[in-house]
Each structure stands twice: as structure tokens, then as C-alpha cells.
């Protein structure tokens, strides 16, 4: 479910609660009745909505930004990790675009530590751009493999 424009960048928490999430919850209940899950796309402006997301019927949040727009990973992880699937963890602009490979590795380790290895799909928000240094993208995947070594996540 694309909620990219259904965040506090555009709406107040009260508006999201009254006008957006009832419809999203209805869609999620329908999806669940058919055996499907609902992942909600939301990038920035989600900090004030974390409690609402937690109480909602959605199963996961994807493409959430972790560095831009005054948003940080820690509050998102503290509120939602282990309760909703989190699909993200890195900032494409900062962790891949403006960092060194070692800084990218550190960002991956921090994401895995804060979110945990289960219910977490590591990704860069909103996507990995072609112009990003390939060394940083490789560092992201290498650090993920290292973080998951010895778990059931990797053979």
C-alpha cells in the first residue's frame, strides 16, 4: 500500500488517524482475510505516526528514511521493531551517497543492532540510485552478510 503522501509531511497525525488509517486498516483486513500481508510505503514524516502505525492492521513499513527530514532510525526501531516488519534501515542519500564504505558498514551494523535480524529487510530508502558509489553498495551487502553470519538467515 503506497502511503508515501500519507505522512506528516502532508497531513497532521489527527488527519491520518481520521481519514487515512481507517481505509488502510480496512484494506489490510481484506488482505488478511485472503491470506496476504500489507506493507505500507512511507518515507519521511512518520515520527509522529509511529503509535498509529503500531495500532494499525498493517504488517510492515517500507522505504522509511533514517537520516533526512529530521527522522532517525532509533525511534522507529524502538517503537516498531519486533511488532511490524521493517523494510529499510539505511538512507540512500546519506549512507550510500555521502558516506565511505566503512561508514556504510557501520550504518548497517547499527540498523541490525537496533531492529534485530528478524522481521527486518535491509534496504536503502527510498531506493539505491545508479550513481551511488558501487563500493558503498558492496559494503552494505557485505556488512549485512557479516551481521547475519551464524544465523538461520544465511545458509
Amino acid at each position: 500500500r503506497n502511503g508515501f503522501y500519507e505522512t506528516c509531511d502532508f497531513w497532521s497525525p489527527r488527519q491520518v488517524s481520521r481519514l487515512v488509517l481507517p481505509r488502510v486498516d480496512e484494506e489490510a483486513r481484506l488482505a488478511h482475510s485472503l491470506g496476504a500481508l500489507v506493507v505500507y510505503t512511507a518515507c519521511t514524516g512518520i515520527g509522529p505516526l509511529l503509535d498509529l502505525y503500531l495500532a494499525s492492521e498493517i504488517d510492515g513499513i517500507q522505504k522509511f528514511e533514517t537520516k533526512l527530514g529530521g527522522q532517525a532510525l532509533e525511534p522507529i526501531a524502538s517503537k516498531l521493531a519486533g511488532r511490524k516488519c521493517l523494510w529499510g534501515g539505511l538512507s540512500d542519500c546519506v549512507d550510500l551517497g555521502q558516506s565511505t564504505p566503512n561508514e556504510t558498514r557501520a550504518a548497517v551494523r547499527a540498523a541490525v543492532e537496533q531492529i534485530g535480524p528478524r522481521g527486518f529487510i535491509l534496504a536503502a530508502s527510498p531506493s539505491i540510485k545508479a550513481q551511488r558509489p558501487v563500493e558503498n553498495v558492496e559494503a552494505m551487502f557485505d556488512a549485512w552478510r557479516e551481521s547475519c553470519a551464524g544465523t538461520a538467515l544465511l545458509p
Side-chain angles (χ1 to χ4, degrees):
R1 169 72 154 77
N2 189 351
F4 204 86
Y5 296 105
E6 300 171 349
T7 69
C8 289
D9 289 342
F10 307 96
W11 302 70
S12 71
R14 184 174 176 194
Q15 289 173 313
V16 171
S17 177
R18 274 190 33 239
L19 303 171
V20 175
L21 285 179
R23 181 172 295 226
V24 172
D25 284 345
E26 183 179 329
E27 293 171 8
R29 284 189 292 276
L30 175 60
H32 295 156
S33 75
L34 299 170
L37 301 174
V38 173
V39 177
Y40 193 70
T41 301
C43 189
T44 58
I46 69 170
L49 302 174
L50 296 177
D51 286 324
L52 295 174
Y53 291 161
L54 183 60
S56 76
E57 300 285 332
I58 59 176
D59 300 293
I61 305 287
Q62 74 165 342
K63 300 198 182 279
F64 56 92
E65 175 59 51
T66 60
K67 302 269 176 23
L68 301 177
Q71 200 157 273
L73 176 60
E74 194 280 324
I76 298 167
S78 291
K79 184 65 68 171
L80 301 178
R83 297 169 185 93
K84 303 286 182 180
C85 176
L86 294 176
W87 186 341
L90 297 183
S91 171
D92 168 67
C93 294
V94 176
D95 296 322
L96 297 181
Q98 298 175 1
S99 296
T100 66
N102 284 337
E103 291 168 331
T104 299
R105 283 184 177 79
V108 170
R109 285 191 298 273
V112 172
E113 287 172 13
Q114 289 180 49
I115 297 173
R118 299 224 179 264
F120 176 38
I121 301 168
L122 178 69
S125 176
S127 63
I128 299 173
K129 310 294 185 297
Q131 65 268 31
R132 299 300 179 234
V134 70
E135 301 82 23
N136 288 353
V137 177
E138 289 171 345
M140 178 182 93
F141 287 110
D142 289 344
W144 174 78
R145 285 185 198 96
E146 292 164 8
S147 295
C148 296
T151 71
L153 299 174
L154 290 176

